């Protein structure tokens, strides 16, 4: 099921930013030359469908994909405007880095970028952890949206199930 977020009500979270910084984590927009490193990281964790979406988001100008890095290692990513305009996702955090606010920080950074680019609302496509999105950014379910835009998608494009996803 998809979820809807009022982007115009979101604010930066200085406490979350401080928590992320204290862990030595940097969240920033991906650079096009990092595409190979990004997709090599995504593929074994989340599958080829998300590689395709992250590639589209990285090739936009400016890129609409953000990454989380700790000690020069990629630990998470989040994108928007990959499968459809106004859509958040995909997003994923390495299993070893979960529970430390990385997913929340990537979500908020990406949604605030959507707002800065002129969107009033954002759609979280095929929202997995719905309670996380509800709690983190006040997202609400869009009734009748399952399977939504992903209807009829080729099986090879589905996340591989290698890791639990944050999409």
């Amino acid at each position: 099921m998809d979820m809807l977020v009022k982007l115009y009500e979101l604010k930066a979270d200085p406490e979350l930013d401080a928590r992320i910084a204290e862990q030595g984590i940097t969240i920033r927009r991906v650079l096009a030359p990092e595409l190979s490193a990004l997709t090599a990281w995504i593929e074994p964790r989340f599958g080829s469908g998300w590689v395709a979406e992250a590639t589209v988001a990285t090739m936009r100008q400016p890129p609409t994909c953000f990454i989380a890095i700790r000690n020069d290692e990629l630990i998470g990513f989040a994108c928007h405007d990959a499968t459809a305009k106004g859509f958040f996702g995909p997003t994923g955090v390495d299993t070893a880095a979960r529970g430390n606010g990385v997913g929340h920080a990537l979500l908020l950074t990406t949604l605030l970028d959507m707002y800065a680019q002129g969107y009033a609302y954002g759609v979280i496509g095929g929202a997995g952890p719905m309670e996380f999105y509800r709690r983190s950014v006040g997202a609400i379910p869009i009734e009748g949206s399952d399977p939504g835009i992903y209807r009829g998608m080729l099986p090879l494009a589905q996340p591989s199930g290698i890791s639990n996803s944050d999409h």
Side-chain angles (χ1 to χ4, degrees), residues 38-120:
L38 175 66
T39 59
W41 185 88
I42 293 171
E43 176 79 33
R45 290 167 179 83
F46 304 106
S48 62
W50 287 13
V51 165
E53 289 179 297
T55 299
V56 168
T58 299
M59 299 313 296
R60 292 192 178 282
Q61 196 54 262
T64 58
C65 185
F66 292 84
I67 54 176
I69 303 165
R70 179 172 47 210
N71 299 326
D72 293 327
E73 289 187 34
L74 185 59
I75 60 171
F77 78 105
C79 304
H80 72 85
D81 288 359
T83 294
K85 285 194 170 285
F87 267 57
F88 168 83
T91 184
V93 175
D94 190 79
T95 54
R98 293 180 187 169
N100 297 312
V102 177
H104 187 185
L106 281 164
L107 171 66
L108 194 54
T109 298
T110 306
L111 292 177
L112 289 171
D113 186 63
M114 291 177 72
Y115 182 66
Q117 291 192 33
Y119 293 102

Side-chain angles (χ1 to χ4, degrees), residues 2 53 82-85 87 123-126 144-153 167:
D2 297 340
E53 289 179 297
T83 294
K85 285 194 170 285
F87 267 57
V123 174
I124 301 171
S145 64
D146 187 29
I149 197 167
Y150 302 105
R151 176 181 292 115
M153 189 164 67
H167 188 80

